[in-house]
Amino acid sequence: MPCTVASLSEHGHLRGRVRLPTGRLAVCGCLAIRGGDENSDWLDFYVPVGALENAGMAHWDGRPFFRSASMDDWLAAIGTETFKSAPFRLGVIGFEVSGCTDASAMEGRLPEERDIGYLIPQGEVLHYGAANT
């Protein structure tokens, strides 16, 4: 089934396959985590570490938490495309980052030192701040 708001609402957790930057397919998952108000909803998209290894995708470049610039940039591109049809107030990119901060705490600004990646809208433009520590 397609990964849509309707299918996420009905099933809660979707599993499928995605084509990685290596060109190979890998298993992935997507789930919606609904909070008590509009500021606490999360959309989690993930690719298991074992699937990255099986697909020949470098997923660790020496930084903590299985980080790699190529994976982060790829995930940022997915977030950027998502933003075009479903604007959001904050996106975070990294290893198990769901719920690590919220849009109100960010106040629309990228931190200068970042141990995770951020997608922050300013007006209708989405800005990506890659992890830099």
Side-chain angles (χ1 to χ4, degrees):
M1 75 183 54
C3 184
T4 63
V5 172
S7 59
L8 279 168
S9 295
E10 182 177 348
H11 302 286
H13 191 169
L14 303 177
R15 294 166 189 87
R17 298 184 306 164
V18 65
R19 189 165 307 280
L20 297 172
T22 60
R24 296 184 57 194
L25 288 173
V27 296
C28 64
C30 185
L31 64 143
I33 301 168
R34 299 290 186 178
D37 59 40
E38 67 181 36
N39 294 323
S40 57
D41 289 347
W42 287 83
L43 178 65
D44 282 2
F45 171 78
Y46 63 90
V47 179
V49 172
L52 295 173
E53 291 172 356
N54 289 338
M57 182 72 193
H59 61 83
W60 189 61
D61 60 8
R63 292 184 284 174
F65 305 113
F66 300 102
R67 303 215 46 95
S68 84
S70 61
M71 277 297 298
D72 287 0
D73 290 348
W74 177 72
L75 290 166
I78 291 171
T80 299
E81 283 301 309
T82 301
F83 183 78
K84 291 176 184 176
S85 58
F88 50 82
R89 295 181 51 213
L90 173 66
V92 289
I93 298 169
F95 187 74
E96 296 186 0
V97 294
S98 180
C100 66
T101 189
D102 60 44
S104 62
M106 302 302 297
E107 298 178 340
R109 295 187 307 263
L110 290 169
E112 288 193 31
E113 291 187 11
R114 301 177 294 273
D115 57 353
I116 63 173
Y118 294 91
L119 294 168
I120 297 181
Q122 293 174 342
E124 293 184 23
V125 177
L126 188 65
H127 295 274
Y128 173 46
N132 61 11
T133 60

